[in-house]
């Protein structure tokens, strides 16, 4: 392409990209590239696209390089963008291709920012999911089985027996020798419930709970009370007759 034709293309580009284009020389220009559409929540990413036009342009593609000015590009992302520009340029050989290259790069930059955002959101969700699973596993504990319950019950009973023994020991420390003997005797005395379990016929046999208590027939007391009432009545009638 002659210098006149290239200059004509430059004039068109300058009218479109008045603030983004910088003309370095007659055959070298630079564009400040931003995403085509802002991505809410996306990170800042801006590039510079430098193009150097050969004498045989547009039958031969210009040489171009990409450099980030805000944000970062890893090697894979940079190579992908360059490959895409080459593909678009090859599809438009023989024509003024600069505007097409710039437009495509801006679109791909928006896509890259959006992809990064979605990947970050997915990673955050995955991190949160793992944290919830770990918390559930920590608080859920071990499932109870018959065997594990028996082991726990045996351990619990032994611990309660040791606790009771310690309490008994502390209680005995504050008693005199005689009080300790009496206390030990009480421990071997059967309670009312134990007596009931040993003999289901307590209601008929009137078992005694306190040691040394004498069995009493209540009907004898009733007859004695009746005779005393009769004697009091006779004395009262005799006194009235006088």
């Amino acid at each position: 392409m002659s210098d006149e034709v290239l200059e004509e293309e430059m004039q068109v580009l300058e009218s479109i990209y008045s603030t983004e284009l910088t003309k370095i020389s007659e055959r070298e220009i630079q564009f400040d590239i931003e995403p085509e559409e802002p991505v809410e929540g996306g990170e800042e990413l801006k590039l510079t696209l430098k193009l150097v036009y050969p004498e045989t342009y547009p039958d031969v593609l210009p040489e171009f390089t990409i450099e980030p000015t805000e944000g970062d590009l890893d090697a894979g992302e940079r190579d992908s963008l360059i490959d895409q520009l080459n593909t678009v340029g090859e599809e438009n050989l023989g024509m003024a291709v600069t505007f097409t290259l710039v437009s495509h790069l801006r679109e791909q930059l928006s896509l890259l920012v959006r992809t990064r955002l979605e990947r970050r959101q997915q990673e955050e969700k995955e991190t949160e999911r793992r944290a919830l699973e770990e918390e559930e596993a920590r608080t859920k504990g071990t499932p109870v089985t018959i065997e594990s319950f028996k082991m726990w019950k045996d351990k619990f009973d032994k611990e309660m027996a040791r606790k009771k023994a310690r309490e008994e020991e502390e209680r005995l420390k504050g008693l005199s020798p005689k009080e300790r003997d009496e206390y030990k005797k009480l421990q071997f005395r059967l309670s009312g419930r134990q007596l009931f379990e040993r003999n289901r016929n307590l209601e008929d046999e009137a078992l005694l709970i306190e040691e040394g208590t004498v069995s009493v027939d209540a009907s004898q007391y009733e007859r004695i009370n009746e005779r005393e009432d009769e004697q009091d009545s006779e004395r009262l009638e005799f006194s009235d007759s006088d």
Side-chain angles (χ1 to χ4, degrees):
M1 174 183 283
S2 64
D3 292 340
E4 293 80 9
V5 176
L6 181 57
E7 184 177 352
E8 182 179 346
E9 183 180 6
M10 292 300 146
Q11 291 175 356
V12 174
L13 292 172
E14 287 175 347
S15 65
I16 298 174
Y17 304 108
S18 58
T19 58
E20 295 93 339
L21 186 150
T22 301
K23 189 174 181 179
I24 300 173
S25 68
E26 294 299 324
R27 293 187 174 274
E28 185 176 358
I29 60 175
Q30 178 177 295
F31 288 91
D32 296 325
I33 306 296
E34 297 183 3
E36 181 71 26
E37 297 178 358
V39 179
E40 184 177 357
E43 60 190 61
E44 290 291 329
L45 183 59
K46 296 180 181 180
L47 310 175
T48 59
L49 171 64
K50 184 180 292 187
L51 300 100
V52 179
Y53 297 89
E55 292 287 345
T56 53
Y57 175 82
D59 296 323
V60 175
L61 291 178
E63 297 179 4
F64 37 76
T65 57
I66 295 175
E67 293 294 337
T69 56
E70 287 190 30
D72 295 317
L73 277 180
D74 61 37
E77 292 169 339
R78 187 194 302 268
D79 292 343
S80 176
L81 292 175
I82 293 294
D83 290 342
Q84 291 179 49
L85 290 178
N86 278 316
T87 299
V88 171
E90 291 291 340
E91 293 173 351
N92 293 274
L93 279 177
M95 298 183 292
V97 73
T98 307
F99 176 81
T100 303
L101 293 175
V102 172
S103 298
H104 181 78
L105 186 56
R106 294 184 65 191
E107 292 173 359
Q108 292 304 308
L109 205 57
S110 293
L111 179 60
L112 177 57
V113 173
R114 188 176 298 107
T115 300
R116 285 180 173 184
L117 175 61
E118 292 174 353
R119 183 167 57 242
R120 187 179 75 244
Q121 291 174 339
Q122 186 62 35
E123 290 173 352
E124 290 174 353
K125 289 181 180 179
E126 182 65 18
T127 300
E128 183 179 358
R129 184 189 64 80
R130 288 197 299 267
L132 287 174
E133 288 181 351
E134 292 175 358
E135 181 64 16
E136 289 177 357
R138 186 182 67 81
T139 57
K140 184 178 181 180
T142 305
V144 177
T145 63
I146 295 177
E147 291 76 12
S148 63
F149 176 77
K150 288 181 178 178
M151 292 177 63
W152 172 85
K153 184 65 166 57
D154 182 60
K155 182 179 179 181
F156 176 79
D157 290 343
K158 290 179 179 178
E159 179 61 28
M160 293 303 295
R162 286 194 294 268
K163 181 179 179 181
K164 184 177 181 181
R166 288 194 297 269
E167 292 175 351
E168 293 292 330
E169 183 178 352
E170 291 297 323
R171 186 179 293 111
L172 290 174
K173 285 181 180 179
L175 301 178
S176 65
K178 183 178 180 180
E179 289 173 334
R180 282 197 292 268
D181 292 338
E182 291 296 327
Y183 179 80
K184 291 178 180 179
K185 290 179 181 179
L186 288 173
Q187 303 310 305
F188 293 101
R189 182 177 298 172
L190 295 178
S191 65
R193 181 178 181 83
Q194 290 171 328
L195 287 171
F196 179 79
E197 291 175 349
R198 290 182 57 185
N199 190 338
R200 299 286 182 172
N201 298 320
L202 279 177
E203 293 181 359
D204 298 329
E205 299 182 11
L207 291 180
L208 299 177
I209 297 177
E210 294 296 332
E211 188 178 77
T213 303
V214 178
S215 178
V216 176
D217 186 354
S219 61
Q220 296 178 3
Y221 285 96
E222 294 175 356
R223 289 193 293 272
I224 291 172
N225 290 334
E226 290 175 357
R227 286 196 297 271
E228 290 178 349
D229 291 340
E230 291 175 357
Q231 292 174 358
D232 291 340
S233 177
E234 291 175 356
R235 284 195 297 270
L236 180 60
E237 291 175 358
F238 179 79
S239 174
D240 292 342
S241 62
D242 293 341

